[in-house]
Amino acid sequence: DLNFYNCTFKNGGYTAFAAGAIDPIEMTFHDCKFITGANNGGALSFNVARSKFFNCYFNGPISWSGYFSLNQSERALFDNCEFTDDPKVNPEWVANDNLINLIHGVNPVFNNCVMNIYRKTGFYSDNGQAVANERFKVVPTEFNNFIINIYTNEDLNSRLSFAGVGTIRVRDFRTDM
């Protein structure tokens, strides 16, 4: 198992941090920052079971694909994390992707997280629809007190697509709407 504390992952070629594992390995991140660079890569690209993120900051898109579990202890956990596209932190990055992409049936848990949208980005979750190897059982993505703050005046139609269970609150701080 791997533990990371107070780390910053930034400008790592194309993606600030990328990981994948065939065998379940637990990776835990505490108070870490994942910041995409100007090259339009992502802040995080992940396919690892039993991954936990506590008080982490993600500036730029994250992509989570391919790992689905019916076992609660193996599901990815984001606890008290912030997801953003804040241009003050990475002004060179061109926002052309969703901040969070959950694809191929992944089903993480988000507890007390916030998403701050300053540019034309969004969120996508397919809610485990691609899972066939677990006898078509679906354990949905969980959003427990997930807050979305919208600051951009960009049109976000079709940029926010949620599938899962829990509580999501959207706060609109746009000035021209």
Side-chain angles (χ1 to χ4, degrees):
D1 295 351
L2 298 171
N3 292 290
F4 298 87
Y5 297 91
N6 300 311
C7 296
T8 298
F9 303 97
K10 183 177 180 179
N11 297 331
Y14 186 72
T15 300
F17 188 91
I22 295 172
D23 296 324
I25 180 173
E26 186 165 314
M27 297 179 77
T28 304
F29 299 84
H30 300 271
D31 302 299
C32 292
K33 294 180 181 179
F34 301 84
I35 302 171
T36 193
N39 56 13
N40 288 331
L44 177 70
S45 179
F46 229 65
N47 182 12
V48 179
R50 298 176 12 207
S51 301
K52 312 288 186 232
F53 298 85
F54 298 97
N55 303 308
C56 290
Y57 173 85
F58 302 90
N59 194 315
I62 73 164
S63 178
W64 202 280
S65 64
Y67 194 81
F68 167 88
S69 181
L70 296 174
N71 184 336
Q72 187 71 19
S73 67
E74 289 185 356
R75 294 173 66 188
L77 171 67
F78 295 90
D79 189 76
N80 200 36
C81 292
E82 178 182 355
F83 305 91
T84 187
D85 58 2
D86 189 346
K88 293 177 185 168
V89 175
N90 54 1
E92 307 88 19
W93 178 62
V94 178
N96 62 357
D97 201 355
N98 293 323
L99 280 179
I100 299 176
N101 286 298
L102 305 176
I103 54 177
H104 304 299
V106 299
N107 60 339
V109 176
F110 295 91
N111 290 330
N112 302 308
C113 292
V114 64
M115 176 185 283
N116 293 310
I117 300 175
Y118 293 91
R119 304 184 234 193
K120 191 173 184 176
T121 57
F123 184 106
Y124 175 76
S125 168
D126 72 5
N127 195 34
Q129 301 306 313
V131 177
N133 62 349
E134 297 282 356
R135 297 186 188 190
F136 298 102
K137 294 178 184 177
V138 173
V139 176
T141 299
E142 289 180 34
F143 303 96
N144 302 310
N145 194 32
F146 193 91
I147 298 171
I148 301 171
N149 297 314
I150 300 174
Y151 298 97
T152 182
N153 289 325
E154 296 275 352
D155 180 8
L156 295 177
N157 287 339
S158 76
R159 298 298 290 193
L160 299 173
S161 174
F162 293 91
V165 297
T167 304
I168 298 172
R169 293 183 289 158
V170 178
R171 300 188 293 197
D172 192 342
F173 294 103
R174 294 177 284 185
T175 57
D176 293 341
M177 298 308 235

